[in-house]
Amino acid sequence: MTVARSASDVLSDHTVFEVECIDRMFLNVWLPRLAYGAGVQGFFVGHRGHHYASTALMDPMTKAFVAGIHGFLAARGLELVSFGKERKDDVAQQFLARFTGSEGVLFVGRAQEKALVWRTLRRYSRDGSSYAWLVRSSAFVNYFYFYCVDKDFGPFFLKFCTYFPYTAKLCINGNEWAKRQAAKAGIGFTALDNGFAAVDDVAALQAICDSLGPAQIEALLRKWLRILPTPFTDEDEAAGYRYELSILQAEFSLTQMLDAPVSGRIFFEQVIRDNLDIGRPDHVSLIFHRRILNGRKHKTPGRFRTRVITEGVTPSLHVDYKNAKIKQYHKQGRALRTETTINNPNDFGVTKRLTSLPDLRQLGFSANRRLLGVQTISHDPIRGAKAFTDLTTPVVTNSATRISGLRFGDNRVHALLRALLIHRLLPHGFTNRELRTLTAPLLGKRFEDITAGQMTYDLRRLRVHGLIERIPRSQRYRVTDTGLQHALLFTHVHDHLLRTGLAQISDPSPPRPSAFRRAARAYQAAFDNLTHQAGLAA
């Protein structure tokens, strides 16, 4: 009985190298002391010495902050971009392509987004006197995006809300950080978008990726808070009103570079076909190593599903658990990429503070490995693609002699393969003349129409591609086990599958209806209907 292997087992035979790295991280930059009403009261009354806390005191801070941003732009000659419907990353890439320095601000973007802000409401005491009361509410406010390049982290952005308490968001990419650290360490590599296509020292690169932690990210924030305009003064920071970091979203990627990149998509598409049920609760439980509860009172929230999304022509596999997601796809036609994105650390009993990053790293990388271990694959499509390519493409020998391949669909090739199936039964093999005798009628020719030289050429093709072997100390040949298998598959697919299928859909007056012909007609009708609806010429 043949047991399906895991995707991890199959990949172990085809992976040149692999790298685990923190990928994209989206962090909340906030002041914990201003996240609740009493803290805001303490800031304006206890720290700044006002008699009360009110939005009237916040407005001058907002105007000064916005004025500081415009002054920063003017002093550095930076462009202010008002974001519309275009992707912000696309705009950033245009500026990045023109950037020639090692560090600096690319541009500043402005957009209106929803945010939680403080508002003042008037309340009344029992004696009828009124007093101000701070409440949190949502509003659409201006955000300023500072797109920058750091010499250690590469491209990143820091966006500030222009309303009190002026929270911000920091977005970084761990793979970009690893690239710059590898360059500093003298490790040669070839980039693959936000990954690595080739590396001189994989172990050293992995050690660099493993070293990215809270200390480096914290240092990046402190450095750029000193460079960029901020709404708080040095006195505010000295009094303890200091920005801190928490994790909003963290991506953990596993990039596996394949030895046959062209066959990587074939492998991944087979993984998709064999694992459409990977999102079931029992499988998700294995991937995330979490218990899934199905009871009425205590039920694990979220939808358990597998999604196959095709964007352009690149399919991707998505598995969901609560707010966490795993995405798997064939990256730029060269590598298999598996990414676990944790959108809420609390789903795994981990706090959102940046100090929890090591725990989240362990969770994310383990989920990537567990997914590959849970995924089953019925066969190795990379090996099959290689076997097909080896058989059908030319071979150049050590003496620089080019020997043509056995092209699928070529009449002469299929005649040779059918003849091999007959000669397989001969215990003492066959000769050049005996092969000519069988091949000629299969090609619709006479024996005299095929010369011994032509058959010698075909024998060499069959021998170099491993379908036959020469019997020692003789002029006779025998069919190898590989030759028998390939000849059987090629001839059966060509003669019984393709010919039969094409006959069913192309015959104008078939003797009997067939399911294949009905399906072809339904497809053509649907295509014609779509063309008509689009208003195009058929």
Side-chain angles (χ1 to χ4, degrees), residues 501-512 517 521:
L502 290 172
Q504 289 184 9
I505 63 176
S506 61
D507 190 349
S509 54
R512 63 175 63 89
R517 187 178 183 87
R521 284 180 172 176

Side-chain angles (χ1 to χ4, degrees), residues 170-478:
L170 173 65
C171 183
I172 63 171
N173 192 295
N175 277 296
E176 295 297 332
W177 178 85
K179 288 179 187 177
R180 280 154 180 79
Q181 303 312 308
K184 287 183 179 181
I187 302 173
F189 66 88
T190 302
L192 180 69
D193 190 19
N194 63 335
F196 298 87
V199 185
D200 291 346
D201 190 340
V202 178
L205 174 64
Q206 187 59 63
I208 288 174
C209 294
D210 293 342
S211 66
L212 177 58
Q216 291 83 1
I217 300 172
E218 182 79 20
L220 173 73
L221 176 67
R222 299 302 162 201
K223 171 183 175 180
W224 285 91
L225 285 179
R226 292 191 296 268
I227 298 173
L228 302 176
T230 59
F232 297 99
T233 65
D234 293 339
E235 291 76 13
D236 295 334
E237 184 172 349
Y241 295 97
R242 188 171 183 265
Y243 280 114
E244 294 187 14
L245 286 166
S246 62
I247 300 171
L248 292 176
Q249 182 186 82
E251 293 180 1
F252 303 92
S253 66
L254 169 63
T255 306
Q256 295 170 293
M257 186 58 57
L258 304 176
D259 58 356
V262 176
S263 304
R265 174 165 179 145
I266 300 173
F267 170 83
F268 181 58
E269 290 180 346
Q270 186 62 45
V271 169
I272 290 177
R273 284 191 289 270
D274 289 345
N275 293 274
L276 290 177
D277 62 344
I278 198 71
R280 288 181 355 197
D282 54 342
H283 286 165
V284 169
S285 176
L286 294 174
I287 294 169
F288 289 98
H289 195 49
R290 305 287 290 184
R291 184 181 178 187
I292 306 298
L293 302 177
N294 294 315
R296 293 182 179 180
K297 292 184 178 180
H298 303 285
K299 186 175 182 180
T300 302
R303 288 184 294 179
F304 301 97
R305 58 179 179 172
T306 307
R307 293 178 296 153
V308 178
I309 299 176
T310 302
E311 184 176 349
V313 294
T314 304
S316 57
L317 181 69
H318 297 250
V319 180
D320 300 345
Y321 168 74
K322 292 186 178 179
N323 296 293
K325 303 178 186 298
I326 299 184
K327 178 182 178 182
Q328 193 177 58
Y329 59 99
H330 190 217
K331 188 173 182 65
Q332 293 193 351
R334 305 186 65 181
L336 183 69
R337 184 71 167 259
T338 309
E339 298 173 349
T340 294
T341 302
I342 298 177
N343 294 298
N344 186 356
N346 292 336
D347 289 342
F348 301 92
V350 178
T351 66
K352 294 184 178 182
R353 290 300 180 99
L354 185 59
T355 53
S356 300
L357 182 57
D359 295 330
L360 291 180
R361 180 202 297 270
Q362 180 65 30
L363 287 167
F365 291 146
S366 296
N368 291 337
R369 297 289 182 181
R370 288 175 180 273
L371 174 64
L372 293 170
V374 171
Q375 287 175 325
T376 57
I377 188 164
S378 56
H379 63 277
D380 184 351
I382 294 181
R383 193 177 298 278
K386 183 179 184 302
F388 183 84
T389 302
D390 291 345
L391 191 62
T392 57
T393 55
V395 174
V396 179
T397 64
N398 294 333
S399 59
T401 302
R402 184 180 184 275
I403 300 174
S404 62
L406 301 168
R407 298 188 304 274
F408 183 78
D410 183 270
N411 288 334
R412 184 169 170 180
V413 168
H414 283 279
L416 288 170
L417 296 178
R418 286 196 293 270
L420 290 185
L421 296 177
I422 298 174
H423 285 309
R424 173 71 174 183
L425 301 176
L426 301 178
H428 302 294
F430 58 90
T431 63
N432 181 311
R433 183 180 181 86
E434 290 170 344
L435 185 61
R436 288 165 60 199
T437 303
L438 286 177
T439 304
L442 292 173
L443 291 172
K445 297 180 179 181
R446 297 175 301 170
F447 174 80
E448 297 80 7
D449 294 335
I450 301 178
T451 66
Q454 290 175 324
M455 192 52 57
T456 298
Y457 171 80
D458 287 332
L459 284 169
R460 183 169 59 176
R461 283 203 293 172
L462 294 170
R463 182 168 53 84
V464 168
H465 285 88
L467 274 65
I468 63 173
E469 59 185 5
R470 189 170 180 175
I471 299 175
R473 297 183 297 278
S474 72
Q475 296 296 322
R476 304 185 71 84
Y477 301 85
R478 58 175 168 239

Side-chain angles (χ1 to χ4, degrees), residues 41-80:
Q41 177 81 10
F43 176 79
F44 284 106
V45 178
H47 168 56
R48 290 206 167 180
H50 296 285
H51 296 293
Y52 57 89
S54 170
T55 51
L57 302 174
M58 302 172 188
D59 185 60
M61 291 183 64
T62 296
K63 290 179 179 177
F65 181 35
V66 173
I69 293 174
H70 286 286
F72 181 83
L73 290 169
R76 299 191 175 224
L78 297 173
E79 186 175 344
L80 177 62

Side-chain angles (χ1 to χ4, degrees), residues 65-74 76 78-81 83 88 92 104-111 142-150 154-162 167-172 220 224-225 227-231:
F65 181 35
V66 173
I69 293 174
H70 286 286
F72 181 83
L73 290 169
R76 299 191 175 224
L78 297 173
E79 186 175 344
L80 177 62
V81 177
F83 290 127
K88 298 179 180 66
V105 181
L106 298 175
F107 71 101
V108 177
R110 179 173 55 193
N142 279 334
Y143 274 85
F144 282 92
Y145 285 73
F146 292 88
Y147 279 86
C148 311
V149 175
D150 184 77
F156 75 95
F157 73 79
L158 183 64
K159 70 170 184 175
F160 279 97
C161 174
T162 56
T167 55
K169 303 291 188 296
L170 173 65
C171 183
I172 63 171
L220 173 73
W224 285 91
L225 285 179
I227 298 173
L228 302 176
T230 59

